[in-house]
Amino acid sequence: MIDGGYMRISMWHPAGDPKAGAEYDHFIASFQLKPIEYRPANVPFRDKRGISFSPPAGWVQKPVQGANQVAEYRNLTRSLQVTVAGNSAYTCSNLQAEWQASGRLKEAAVLKLDAQHFVKLVGFEEFPGYNVRLTIVQYCLNSRLGAVVLGGGEEEAMFWRWAQVFEGAARSLRVQ
């Protein structure tokens, strides 16, 4: 389950084979994990507030939870949500300050994706009962609806493989 986050690579060899170690090293070196490229779904998501984006192809849409959640999609251990403040006074600066105060913010940057300026926040969330730490990325847009956020999360060790998928989905985010 490489995309599920777990990998096991094995090699069998005769007992006492003097070349086994070198062959195993060569075998392991022949594998290369690469980042997953963003491929948009054939049908973009649109809601009545004028928010639209293209979720990743193959991801499963889940029911929204609460008035501020616009959409949620999942793929194995990965998740992607779009939320909206619903209050024009709540901006990306407010979100960044909350993350900073929580101690979970690792980095913040302003970046331009196509013609839109996002505040990109990267942090973490821990689930000690499950011994899991997720890397969370949030792409925030200021809009007439307040902050509109496309957020994604994946297990910390595998996040780098999915970063392009989250950014591609954020690049497609539009607020009318």
Side-chain angles (χ1 to χ4, degrees), residues 9 11 19-32:
I9 300 173
M11 184 180 105
K19 298 179 191 172
E23 288 176 356
Y24 179 75
D25 291 342
H26 179 72
F27 175 68
I28 293 298
S30 71
F31 289 90
Q32 182 182 20

mmCIF file with all atom_site columns, all heavy atoms in Angstrom, residues 9 11 19-32:
data_model
loop_
_atom_site.group_PDB
_atom_site.id
_atom_site.type_symbol
_atom_site.label_atom_id
_atom_site.label_alt_id
_atom_site.label_comp_id
_atom_site.label_asym_id
_atom_site.label_entity_id
_atom_site.label_seq_id
_atom_site.pdbx_PDB_ins_code
_atom_site.Cartn_x
_atom_site.Cartn_y
_atom_site.Cartn_z
_atom_site.occupancy
_atom_site.B_iso_or_equiv
_atom_site.pdbx_formal_charge
_atom_site.auth_seq_id
_atom_site.auth_comp_id
_atom_site.auth_asym_id
_atom_site.auth_atom_id
_atom_site.pdbx_PDB_model_num
ATOM 1   N N   . ILE A 1 9  ? 9.325  -3.870  1.703  1.00 0.00 ? 9  ILE A N   1
ATOM 2   C CA  . ILE A 1 9  ? 10.092 -4.383  0.573  1.00 0.00 ? 9  ILE A CA  1
ATOM 3   C C   . ILE A 1 9  ? 10.935 -5.529  1.099  1.00 0.00 ? 9  ILE A C   1
ATOM 4   O O   . ILE A 1 9  ? 11.659 -5.379  2.082  1.00 0.00 ? 9  ILE A O   1
ATOM 5   C CB  . ILE A 1 9  ? 10.987 -3.287  -0.038 1.00 0.00 ? 9  ILE A CB  1
ATOM 6   C CG1 . ILE A 1 9  ? 10.115 -2.126  -0.516 1.00 0.00 ? 9  ILE A CG1 1
ATOM 7   C CG2 . ILE A 1 9  ? 11.813 -3.853  -1.180 1.00 0.00 ? 9  ILE A CG2 1
ATOM 8   C CD1 . ILE A 1 9  ? 10.902 -0.919  -0.972 1.00 0.00 ? 9  ILE A CD1 1
ATOM 9   N N   . MET A 1 11 ? 13.339 -9.184  0.082  1.00 0.00 ? 11 MET A N   1
ATOM 10  C CA  . MET A 1 11 ? 14.086 -9.908  -0.935 1.00 0.00 ? 11 MET A CA  1
ATOM 11  C C   . MET A 1 11 ? 14.521 -11.230 -0.318 1.00 0.00 ? 11 MET A C   1
ATOM 12  O O   . MET A 1 11 ? 15.009 -11.266 0.816  1.00 0.00 ? 11 MET A O   1
ATOM 13  C CB  . MET A 1 11 ? 15.310 -9.104  -1.374 1.00 0.00 ? 11 MET A CB  1
ATOM 14  C CG  . MET A 1 11 ? 16.080 -9.756  -2.505 1.00 0.00 ? 11 MET A CG  1
ATOM 15  S SD  . MET A 1 11 ? 17.499 -8.764  -2.986 1.00 0.00 ? 11 MET A SD  1
ATOM 16  C CE  . MET A 1 11 ? 18.800 -9.728  -2.247 1.00 0.00 ? 11 MET A CE  1
ATOM 17  N N   . LYS A 1 19 ? 26.897 -12.527 -1.676 1.00 0.00 ? 19 LYS A N   1
ATOM 18  C CA  . LYS A 1 19 ? 26.490 -11.354 -2.453 1.00 0.00 ? 19 LYS A CA  1
ATOM 19  C C   . LYS A 1 19 ? 25.152 -10.781 -1.974 1.00 0.00 ? 19 LYS A C   1
ATOM 20  O O   . LYS A 1 19 ? 24.710 -9.754  -2.480 1.00 0.00 ? 19 LYS A O   1
ATOM 21  C CB  . LYS A 1 19 ? 26.343 -11.717 -3.927 1.00 0.00 ? 19 LYS A CB  1
ATOM 22  C CG  . LYS A 1 19 ? 27.617 -12.201 -4.583 1.00 0.00 ? 19 LYS A CG  1
ATOM 23  C CD  . LYS A 1 19 ? 27.322 -12.556 -6.025 1.00 0.00 ? 19 LYS A CD  1
ATOM 24  C CE  . LYS A 1 19 ? 28.480 -13.303 -6.657 1.00 0.00 ? 19 LYS A CE  1
ATOM 25  N NZ  . LYS A 1 19 ? 28.126 -13.796 -7.978 1.00 0.00 ? 19 LYS A NZ  1
ATOM 26  N N   . ALA A 1 20 ? 24.509 -11.429 -1.007 1.00 0.00 ? 20 ALA A N   1
ATOM 27  C CA  . ALA A 1 20 ? 23.152 -11.052 -0.601 1.00 0.00 ? 20 ALA A CA  1
ATOM 28  C C   . ALA A 1 20 ? 23.066 -9.594  -0.149 1.00 0.00 ? 20 ALA A C   1
ATOM 29  O O   . ALA A 1 20 ? 22.151 -8.870  -0.545 1.00 0.00 ? 20 ALA A O   1
ATOM 30  C CB  . ALA A 1 20 ? 22.646 -11.979 0.495  1.00 0.00 ? 20 ALA A CB  1
ATOM 31  N N   . GLY A 1 21 ? 23.990 -9.138  0.671  1.00 0.00 ? 21 GLY A N   1
ATOM 32  C CA  . GLY A 1 21 ? 23.939 -7.764  1.178  1.00 0.00 ? 21 GLY A CA  1
ATOM 33  C C   . GLY A 1 21 ? 24.032 -6.741  0.069  1.00 0.00 ? 21 GLY A C   1
ATOM 34  O O   . GLY A 1 21 ? 23.254 -5.790  0.012  1.00 0.00 ? 21 GLY A O   1
ATOM 35  N N   . ALA A 1 22 ? 24.969 -6.932  -0.833 1.00 0.00 ? 22 ALA A N   1
ATOM 36  C CA  . ALA A 1 22 ? 25.159 -5.993  -1.947 1.00 0.00 ? 22 ALA A CA  1
ATOM 37  C C   . ALA A 1 22 ? 23.954 -6.038  -2.889 1.00 0.00 ? 22 ALA A C   1
ATOM 38  O O   . ALA A 1 22 ? 23.501 -4.993  -3.381 1.00 0.00 ? 22 ALA A O   1
ATOM 39  C CB  . ALA A 1 22 ? 26.442 -6.302  -2.704 1.00 0.00 ? 22 ALA A CB  1
ATOM 40  N N   . GLU A 1 23 ? 23.437 -7.237  -3.141 1.00 0.00 ? 23 GLU A N   1
ATOM 41  C CA  . GLU A 1 23 ? 22.262 -7.351  -4.021 1.00 0.00 ? 23 GLU A CA  1
ATOM 42  C C   . GLU A 1 23 ? 21.034 -6.698  -3.388 1.00 0.00 ? 23 GLU A C   1
ATOM 43  O O   . GLU A 1 23 ? 20.235 -6.065  -4.073 1.00 0.00 ? 23 GLU A O   1
ATOM 44  C CB  . GLU A 1 23 ? 21.998 -8.815  -4.354 1.00 0.00 ? 23 GLU A CB  1
ATOM 45  C CG  . GLU A 1 23 ? 23.027 -9.381  -5.319 1.00 0.00 ? 23 GLU A CG  1
ATOM 46  C CD  . GLU A 1 23 ? 22.828 -10.866 -5.592 1.00 0.00 ? 23 GLU A CD  1
ATOM 47  O OE1 . GLU A 1 23 ? 21.936 -11.493 -4.971 1.00 0.00 ? 23 GLU A OE1 1
ATOM 48  O OE2 . GLU A 1 23 ? 23.578 -11.393 -6.431 1.00 0.00 ? 23 GLU A OE2 1
ATOM 49  N N   . TYR A 1 24 ? 20.903 -6.854  -2.062 1.00 0.00 ? 24 TYR A N   1
ATOM 50  C CA  . TYR A 1 24 ? 19.784 -6.224  -1.367 1.00 0.00 ? 24 TYR A CA  1
ATOM 51  C C   . TYR A 1 24 ? 19.897 -4.699  -1.464 1.00 0.00 ? 24 TYR A C   1
ATOM 52  O O   . TYR A 1 24 ? 18.912 -4.021  -1.753 1.00 0.00 ? 24 TYR A O   1
ATOM 53  C CB  . TYR A 1 24 ? 19.738 -6.660  0.098  1.00 0.00 ? 24 TYR A CB  1
ATOM 54  C CG  . TYR A 1 24 ? 18.613 -6.013  0.867  1.00 0.00 ? 24 TYR A CG  1
ATOM 55  C CD1 . TYR A 1 24 ? 17.295 -6.433  0.699  1.00 0.00 ? 24 TYR A CD1 1
ATOM 56  C CD2 . TYR A 1 24 ? 18.854 -4.960  1.740  1.00 0.00 ? 24 TYR A CD2 1
ATOM 57  C CE1 . TYR A 1 24 ? 16.252 -5.834  1.376  1.00 0.00 ? 24 TYR A CE1 1
ATOM 58  C CE2 . TYR A 1 24 ? 17.817 -4.345  2.430  1.00 0.00 ? 24 TYR A CE2 1
ATOM 59  C CZ  . TYR A 1 24 ? 16.526 -4.789  2.243  1.00 0.00 ? 24 TYR A CZ  1
ATOM 60  O OH  . TYR A 1 24 ? 15.499 -4.184  2.920  1.00 0.00 ? 24 TYR A OH  1
ATOM 61  N N   . ASP A 1 25 ? 21.085 -4.157  -1.235 1.00 0.00 ? 25 ASP A N   1
ATOM 62  C CA  . ASP A 1 25 ? 21.296 -2.710  -1.355 1.00 0.00 ? 25 ASP A CA  1
ATOM 63  C C   . ASP A 1 25 ? 20.957 -2.223  -2.764 1.00 0.00 ? 25 ASP A C   1
ATOM 64  O O   . ASP A 1 25 ? 20.314 -1.184  -2.934 1.00 0.00 ? 25 ASP A O   1
ATOM 65  C CB  . ASP A 1 25 ? 22.734 -2.340  -1.005 1.00 0.00 ? 25 ASP A CB  1
ATOM 66  C CG  . ASP A 1 25 ? 23.041 -2.527  0.472  1.00 0.00 ? 25 ASP A CG  1
ATOM 67  O OD1 . ASP A 1 25 ? 22.093 -2.611  1.281  1.00 0.00 ? 25 ASP A OD1 1
ATOM 68  O OD2 . ASP A 1 25 ? 24.244 -2.586  0.811  1.00 0.00 ? 25 ASP A OD2 1
ATOM 69  N N   . HIS A 1 26 ? 21.363 -2.962  -3.779 1.00 0.00 ? 26 HIS A N   1
ATOM 70  C CA  . HIS A 1 26 ? 21.054 -2.607  -5.172 1.00 0.00 ? 26 HIS A CA  1
ATOM 71  C C   . HIS A 1 26 ? 19.545 -2.680  -5.413 1.00 0.00 ? 26 HIS A C   1
ATOM 72  O O   . HIS A 1 26 ? 18.963 -1.810  -6.072 1.00 0.00 ? 26 HIS A O   1
ATOM 73  C CB  . HIS A 1 26 ? 21.804 -3.536  -6.131 1.00 0.00 ? 26 HIS A CB  1
ATOM 74  C CG  . HIS A 1 26 ? 21.522 -3.261  -7.568 1.00 0.00 ? 26 HIS A CG  1
ATOM 75  N ND1 . HIS A 1 26 ? 22.013 -2.144  -8.226 1.00 0.00 ? 26 HIS A ND1 1
ATOM 76  C CD2 . HIS A 1 26 ? 20.783 -3.936  -8.483 1.00 0.00 ? 26 HIS A CD2 1
ATOM 77  C CE1 . HIS A 1 26 ? 21.580 -2.151  -9.473 1.00 0.00 ? 26 HIS A CE1 1
ATOM 78  N NE2 . HIS A 1 26 ? 20.835 -3.234  -9.645 1.00 0.00 ? 26 HIS A NE2 1
ATOM 79  N N   . PHE A 1 27 ? 18.912 -3.708  -4.876 1.00 0.00 ? 27 PHE A N   1
ATOM 80  C CA  . PHE A 1 27 ? 17.463 -3.892  -5.011 1.00 0.00 ? 27 PHE A CA  1
ATOM 81  C C   . PHE A 1 27 ? 16.706 -2.717  -4.388 1.00 0.00 ? 27 PHE A C   1
ATOM 82  O O   . PHE A 1 27 ? 15.829 -2.122  -5.020 1.00 0.00 ? 27 PHE A O   1
ATOM 83  C CB  . PHE A 1 27 ? 17.070 -5.220  -4.349 1.00 0.00 ? 27 PHE A CB  1
ATOM 84  C CG  . PHE A 1 27 ? 15.596 -5.493  -4.309 1.00 0.00 ? 27 PHE A CG  1
ATOM 85  C CD1 . PHE A 1 27 ? 14.884 -5.748  -5.469 1.00 0.00 ? 27 PHE A CD1 1
ATOM 86  C CD2 . PHE A 1 27 ? 14.920 -5.523  -3.097 1.00 0.00 ? 27 PHE A CD2 1
ATOM 87  C CE1 . PHE A 1 27 ? 13.528 -6.024  -5.424 1.00 0.00 ? 27 PHE A CE1 1
ATOM 88  C CE2 . PHE A 1 27 ? 13.567 -5.793  -3.044 1.00 0.00 ? 27 PHE A CE2 1
ATOM 89  C CZ  . PHE A 1 27 ? 12.867 -6.044  -4.211 1.00 0.00 ? 27 PHE A CZ  1
ATOM 90  N N   . ILE A 1 28 ? 17.064 -2.352  -3.168 1.00 0.00 ? 28 ILE A N   1
ATOM 91  C CA  . ILE A 1 28 ? 16.398 -1.240  -2.479 1.00 0.00 ? 28 ILE A CA  1
ATOM 92  C C   . ILE A 1 28 ? 16.628 0.070   -3.228 1.00 0.00 ? 28 ILE A C   1
ATOM 93  O O   . ILE A 1 28 ? 15.709 0.885   -3.368 1.00 0.00 ? 28 ILE A O   1
ATOM 94  C CB  . ILE A 1 28 ? 16.890 -1.134  -1.021 1.00 0.00 ? 28 ILE A CB  1
ATOM 95  C CG1 . ILE A 1 28 ? 16.445 -2.346  -0.217 1.00 0.00 ? 28 ILE A CG1 1
ATOM 96  C CG2 . ILE A 1 28 ? 16.422 0.157   -0.359 1.00 0.00 ? 28 ILE A CG2 1
ATOM 97  C CD1 . ILE A 1 28 ? 14.942 -2.517  -0.111 1.00 0.00 ? 28 ILE A CD1 1
ATOM 98  N N   . ALA A 1 29 ? 17.835 0.280   -3.728 1.00 0.00 ? 29 ALA A N   1
ATOM 99  C CA  . ALA A 1 29 ? 18.150 1.516   -4.451 1.00 0.00 ? 29 ALA A CA  1
ATOM 100 C C   . ALA A 1 29 ? 17.381 1.633   -5.762 1.00 0.00 ? 29 ALA A C   1
ATOM 101 O O   . ALA A 1 29 ? 17.256 2.731   -6.316 1.00 0.00 ? 29 ALA A O   1
ATOM 102 C CB  . ALA A 1 29 ? 19.650 1.614   -4.709 1.00 0.00 ? 29 ALA A CB  1
ATOM 103 N N   . SER A 1 30 ? 16.822 0.530   -6.249 1.00 0.00 ? 30 SER A N   1
ATOM 104 C CA  . SER A 1 30 ? 16.080 0.571   -7.512 1.00 0.00 ? 30 SER A CA  1
ATOM 105 C C   . SER A 1 30 ? 14.669 1.143   -7.335 1.00 0.00 ? 30 SER A C   1
ATOM 106 O O   . SER A 1 30 ? 13.996 1.419   -8.315 1.00 0.00 ? 30 SER A O   1
ATOM 107 C CB  . SER A 1 30 ? 16.003 -0.825  -8.137 1.00 0.00 ? 30 SER A CB  1
ATOM 108 O OG  . SER A 1 30 ? 15.137 -1.668  -7.387 1.00 0.00 ? 30 SER A OG  1
ATOM 109 N N   . PHE A 1 31 ? 14.221 1.332   -6.105 1.00 0.00 ? 31 PHE A N   1
ATOM 110 C CA  . PHE A 1 31 ? 12.896 1.898   -5.837 1.00 0.00 ? 31 PHE A CA  1
ATOM 111 C C   . PHE A 1 31 ? 13.021 3.393   -5.606 1.00 0.00 ? 31 PHE A C   1
ATOM 112 O O   . PHE A 1 31 ? 13.944 3.856   -4.953 1.00 0.00 ? 31 PHE A O   1
ATOM 113 C CB  . PHE A 1 31 ? 12.261 1.254   -4.597 1.00 0.00 ? 31 PHE A CB  1
ATOM 114 C CG  . PHE A 1 31 ? 11.837 -0.158  -4.828 1.00 0.00 ? 31 PHE A CG  1
ATOM 115 C CD1 . PHE A 1 31 ? 12.714 -1.200  -4.582 1.00 0.00 ? 31 PHE A CD1 1
ATOM 116 C CD2 . PHE A 1 31 ? 10.577 -0.449  -5.307 1.00 0.00 ? 31 PHE A CD2 1
ATOM 117 C CE1 . PHE A 1 31 ? 12.342 -2.510  -4.791 1.00 0.00 ? 31 PHE A CE1 1
ATOM 118 C CE2 . PHE A 1 31 ? 10.194 -1.757  -5.531 1.00 0.00 ? 31 PHE A CE2 1
ATOM 119 C CZ  . PHE A 1 31 ? 11.079 -2.787  -5.277 1.00 0.00 ? 31 PHE A CZ  1
ATOM 120 N N   . GLN A 1 32 ? 12.055 4.126   -6.137 1.00 0.00 ? 32 GLN A N   1
ATOM 121 C CA  . GLN A 1 32 ? 12.059 5.573   -5.936 1.00 0.00 ? 32 GLN A CA  1
ATOM 122 C C   . GLN A 1 32 ? 10.623 6.045   -5.770 1.00 0.00 ? 32 GLN A C   1
ATOM 123 O O   . GLN A 1 32 ? 9.795  5.839   -6.661 1.00 0.00 ? 32 GLN A O   1
ATOM 124 C CB  . GLN A 1 32 ? 12.709 6.284   -7.118 1.00 0.00 ? 32 GLN A CB  1
ATOM 125 C CG  . GLN A 1 32 ? 12.779 7.769   -6.946 1.00 0.00 ? 32 GLN A CG  1
ATOM 126 C CD  . GLN A 1 32 ? 13.386 8.462   -8.166 1.00 0.00 ? 32 GLN A CD  1
ATOM 127 O OE1 . GLN A 1 32 ? 13.419 7.917   -9.256 1.00 0.00 ? 32 GLN A OE1 1
ATOM 128 N NE2 . GLN A 1 32 ? 13.840 9.676   -7.957 1.00 0.00 ? 32 GLN A NE2 1
#
